[in-house]
Amino acid sequence: MPSPEAITAWARLMRVSRQLVESAEDALKAGGLPPLAWYDVLHELAEAGEGGLRPFQLIERTLFAQYNISRLLARLEADGLVEKLPVADDGRGQTIRITARGREMRRQMWAVYGRSITELVGAKLSADELNMVSALLGRLRHPPVVD
Amino acid sequence: MPSPEAITAWARLMRVSRQLVESAEDALKAGGLPPLAWYDVLHELAEAGEGGLRPFQLIERTLFAQYNISRLLARLEADGLVEKLPVADDGRGQTIRITARGREMRRQMWAVYGRSITELVGAKLSADELNMVSALLGRLRHPPVVD
DNA sequence: TCAAGCTTGATGCAATTGCATCTATCGCCT
DNA sequence: AGGCGATAGATGCAATTGCATCAAGCTTGA
């Protein structure tokens, strides 16, 4: 049913993304570091600053499932990388804040992860081509990027 | 360390691919069909024809881990979608061949999967743009596509 | 005010994944 | 022929994921 062009693009997207994720995960593992998912969360929390984020905000930003975030945060807390604070005006909720150790971990992970990105993507395409990829993929996103 | 362009392209690739996979998986689930991984294997086996494929060939083609293929094939066999045949000249190995039921399942899955591809990708970009995506992503693949 | 329904986050249980290792067979080299 | 490393595939066990559901607190509307 889909056009041949759509099928090829889809297939390539599936294959390349799997391959890139795997390479990046391997690099982290080789460095004795936690998986990518941890980076995603630590990154969002680092951007959020001292105010921290509510778990449901992390879900929106990272696309992880609710139960996934719930348990990932439990592991991060057990490792002292984040802390859970009660929320004043909502007794159900909590605010997640990155700790100093969490920032340090993120820094270490970025050293490896950033290198992977450079090797796997930055070194393969020119800046113009990278922008083209971003623009085209942006239109596949939901909601589409308008830039 | 990576350029801003590389980071954006990487981030978008990660996000979009996760989103697309999730959408396609949801569509299959909603249709009471097995997950995408099953399709990938059935697709390769259908292409391979009566000769079938060895498990290690499936690993090369699909990028799944060895233990993953091993167990996925066990499930597919349990469902009668593939059959395992001994190999004449290699006592360790087996040949996997898709059954009639397997072909039928693949057909059903494609009805749903193909529609997802059309909606998620085919309807969002022109044929030229799709070809551009394929070409750019092809250069990120390992080994790179030369087309 | 308070019941009904919604939102937030956690969790029991089953299925899947990942890791390490195992068995069996093969191919090669002496 | 016999031994030895390499290859093919399976599997025990721990960790993670997915699904369904739960408990607690919030919000709204009569």
Side-chain angles (χ1 to χ4, degrees):
Chain A
M1 179 96 54
S3 71
E5 291 84 3
I7 294 176
T8 299
W10 177 279
R12 210 152 277 181
L13 186 52
M14 293 297 113
R15 165 166 296 254
V16 167
S17 61
R18 256 191 284 175
Q19 220 169 39
L20 295 183
V21 167
E22 196 187 317
S23 296
E25 293 275 19
D26 285 353
L28 287 170
K29 219 170 304 178
L33 294 166
L36 270 186
W38 290 38
Y39 182 85
D40 289 347
V41 168
L42 291 176
H43 171 68
E44 293 298 335
L45 291 174
E47 295 237 307
E50 287 309 305
L53 286 177
R54 300 284 298 269
F56 71 86
Q57 295 178 298
L58 280 169
I59 291 168
E60 292 163 4
R61 284 167 171 70
T62 61
L63 305 183
F64 290 130
Q66 184 270 321
Y67 55 79
N68 225 323
I69 284 289
S70 178
R71 295 199 256 224
L72 180 44
L73 290 176
R75 280 172 236 151
L76 289 169
E77 188 189 28
D79 274 35
L81 303 179
V82 307
E83 51 188 352
K84 300 184 174 183
L85 310 168
V87 175
D89 59 339
D90 189 341
R92 294 166 300 184
Q94 44 189 286
T95 294
I96 309 297
R97 193 164 62 193
I98 190 169
T99 64
R101 275 178 49 104
R103 288 182 192 279
E104 171 59 17
M105 175 61 82
R106 171 172 128 73
R107 221 185 41 69
Q108 284 182 38
M109 292 182 78
W110 179 244
V112 173
Y113 189 22
R115 177 161 31 252
S116 290
I117 293 175
T118 299
E119 287 169 7
L120 297 169
V121 161
K124 300 270 176 70
L125 299 177
S126 72
D128 280 356
E129 289 168 331
L130 289 168
N131 286 335
M132 177 129 316
V133 168
S134 298
L136 291 168
L137 292 181
R139 293 183 35 215
L140 299 181
R141 225 187 62 168
H142 183 73
V145 175
V146 288
D147 60 5
Chain B
M1 179 95 55
S3 70
E5 291 84 4
I7 294 176
T8 299
W10 177 279
R12 209 150 280 179
L13 185 52
M14 293 297 112
R15 165 167 297 255
V16 167
S17 62
R18 257 191 282 175
Q19 220 169 39
L20 295 185
V21 168
E22 197 187 316
S23 296
E25 293 276 17
D26 285 352
L28 287 170
K29 220 170 302 177
L33 294 167
L36 270 186
W38 290 38
Y39 183 85
D40 289 347
V41 168
L42 291 177
H43 172 67
E44 294 298 337
L45 291 174
E47 295 237 307
E50 286 309 305
L53 286 176
R54 301 282 299 268
F56 72 86
Q57 295 178 298
L58 281 170
I59 291 168
E60 292 163 3
R61 285 167 170 71
T62 61
L63 304 184
F64 290 131
Q66 183 269 321
Y67 56 79
N68 225 323
I69 285 289
S70 177
R71 295 200 256 225
L72 180 44
L73 289 176
R75 281 172 235 150
L76 288 169
E77 187 188 27
D79 273 35
L81 304 179
V82 307
E83 51 188 352
K84 300 184 173 181
L85 311 167
V87 175
D89 58 339
D90 188 342
R92 295 166 299 183
Q94 45 189 285
T95 294
I96 310 297
R97 193 164 60 191
I98 190 171
T99 64
R101 276 179 48 105
R103 289 182 191 279
E104 172 58 19
M105 174 62 81
R106 171 172 130 73
R107 220 184 44 68
Q108 284 182 37
M109 292 183 78
W110 179 243
V112 173
Y113 189 22
R115 176 160 35 251
S116 291
I117 293 175
T118 300
E119 287 169 7
L120 296 169
V121 162
K124 300 269 175 68
L125 299 176
S126 73
D128 280 355
E129 290 167 330
L130 289 169
N131 286 335
M132 178 130 315
V133 168
S134 298
L136 291 167
L137 292 181
R139 290 180 39 211
L140 299 180
R141 224 186 63 167
H142 183 75
V145 175
V146 287
D147 60 3

